[in-house]
Amino acid sequence: MEVVGTCTLLTGLGLSSVIDIKIRKVSLKIVGIMFVVGCMLRIMQGNFLELAFLISLLPGAVCLLLSWFTKGGIGVGDGCMLLALGAYMDFGEVFSVFSVAISLVGVVALILMLRFHKGKKYEIPFIPFLFFGCFVIKIVCGG
């Protein structure tokens, strides 16, 4: 069951990454399908309504709230994707993926600002960094 979840997660993130890079949008259809499949896998494992599952959704919920407070400074699609990650991973894994992604975005933003003179308002697609973070945590680290 774990292999199916990891494959589904990485496939959805991979497709979403391509779309995010090409058109700077997050497909809420893909995210919705990912979330539903993740919930179905949780139901099959018998841990759908456990407290740990609800806690794993917190990073996505916080990002959605921040998106609302920043009036889109953080994309709604990014928050929804973090919610979908919570359907596949526990809180620690979601937080680790987010930490890897935000660290890499920070490095890339710094390079873009210093080397390519991009401004603070330059938008960087975030889903590819979530994909990389998920790949590192799930495949490389064996999470």
Side-chain angles (χ1 to χ4, degrees):
M1 198 66 68
E2 181 74 23
V3 173
V4 172
T6 300
C7 289
T8 304
L9 180 61
L10 290 175
T11 300
L13 277 169
L15 288 171
S16 295
S17 294
V18 171
I19 293 168
D20 199 16
I21 289 169
K22 284 190 172 200
I23 61 173
R24 299 278 205 264
K25 298 254 185 240
V26 177
S27 170
L28 293 181
K29 286 181 184 178
I30 293 173
V31 174
I33 291 169
M34 288 175 62
F35 185 76
V36 168
V37 170
C39 289
M40 288 174 24
L41 290 171
R42 289 267 188 164
I43 289 169
M44 291 167 60
Q45 294 169 344
N47 60 358
F48 179 64
L49 289 178
E50 291 181 0
L51 183 60
F53 169 63
L54 299 176
I55 291 172
S56 70
L57 299 176
L58 282 177
V62 168
C63 276
L64 286 172
L65 279 174
L66 287 173
S67 176
W68 185 69
F69 282 122
T70 62
K71 297 184 180 14
I74 297 171
V76 171
D78 299 329
C80 290
M81 183 60 81
L82 277 171
L83 273 175
L85 292 182
Y88 293 87
M89 305 173 166
D90 63 30
F91 175 81
E93 289 174 319
V94 175
F95 190 76
S96 296
V97 167
F98 180 74
S99 297
V100 168
I102 205 76
S103 298
L104 288 173
V105 164
V107 169
V108 168
L110 192 61
I111 291 169
L112 288 171
M113 287 174 72
L114 297 176
R115 177 72 174 101
F116 298 100
H117 309 291
K118 300 292 183 186
K120 290 188 287 186
K121 295 290 184 182
Y122 184 76
E123 291 183 8
I124 301 171
F126 188 60
I127 302 297
F129 295 96
L130 283 177
F131 175 68
F132 182 79
C134 189
F135 181 82
V136 167
I137 299 304
K138 286 300 224 180
I139 305 299
V140 177
C141 297

